[in-house]
Amino acid sequence: GSTIDVLGSSMHTLLRHPDALAALRRSPTQLGTAIQEMFRYEPPLPFFHRHATQEVTVGDIEYPAGTTFGLLYGSANRDPLAFERADSFDINRHPNRHLAFGMGAHLCLGNNLARLNMKIIYELLFETFAKIELVHDDVPYKPGLSVRGPERLDVAWS
């Protein structure tokens, strides 16, 4: 599911950003902000279909009610007009108004649980393992737009 995908992609991201990983190990109180950035940087569900309930104008084009739109949340989370250094992973990013959980009527009901799961998992990983590292640099990701996460993430720990 999406928790496994964001855990895999966020761990992959942290292992590719050793300064961020070291900062979180030194100061686990930063986990809340870092987890928000993990969801922004690599959202586990980057694409959704939405249907217009009424006529809507986007740009200069009018769309009738019932139009199906494909929304690329992953792309919106990298919009340079919305995020300074949008393609950079920044565990201190604030504010971080990402769309990984949707918004409004489509806000994911499990968003608080997802963030709590991530916090608990990372706290336990950091307490349990002094060192975590990638075994292979080449990490295969699942194909397609519906989910985003590694097919597998080979790590070594001690």
Side-chain angles (χ1 to χ4, degrees), residues 126-137:
F126 294 159
E127 285 174 20
T128 307
F129 302 111
K131 186 176 184 180
I132 303 171
E133 59 189 0
L134 279 174
V135 173
H136 306 289
D137 289 335

Side-chain angles (χ1 to χ4, degrees), residues 6-118:
V6 77
L7 179 60
S9 62
S10 64
M11 178 58 73
H12 185 216
T13 299
L14 283 174
L15 293 172
R16 288 181 293 130
H17 294 86
D19 291 345
L21 178 58
L24 289 175
R25 283 186 171 283
R26 283 191 309 273
S27 181
T29 57
Q30 291 181 281
L31 266 172
T33 304
I35 288 166
Q36 288 291 84
E37 179 68 351
M38 291 171 189
F39 277 101
R40 182 201 71 86
Y41 191 74
E42 287 283 2
L45 303 169
F47 176 83
F48 280 95
H49 283 105
R50 292 291 179 249
H51 307 281
T53 57
Q54 59 191 26
E55 185 177 293
V56 63
T57 302
V58 178
D60 294 332
I61 302 172
E62 290 185 17
Y63 296 92
T67 299
T68 300
F69 292 94
L71 304 178
L72 292 167
Y73 290 178
S75 178
N77 285 341
R78 297 287 186 100
D79 182 350
L81 297 177
F83 298 97
E84 188 175 315
R85 299 175 338 279
D87 286 331
S88 297
F89 180 68
D90 179 359
I91 61 169
N92 297 307
R93 186 178 300 276
H94 185 80
N96 192 344
R97 295 185 178 97
H98 63 79
L99 297 175
F101 295 110
M103 63 183 295
H106 296 285
L107 181 66
C108 172
L109 294 177
N111 76 82
N112 289 321
L113 181 58
R115 287 193 299 265
L116 179 60
N117 282 339
M118 293 289 287

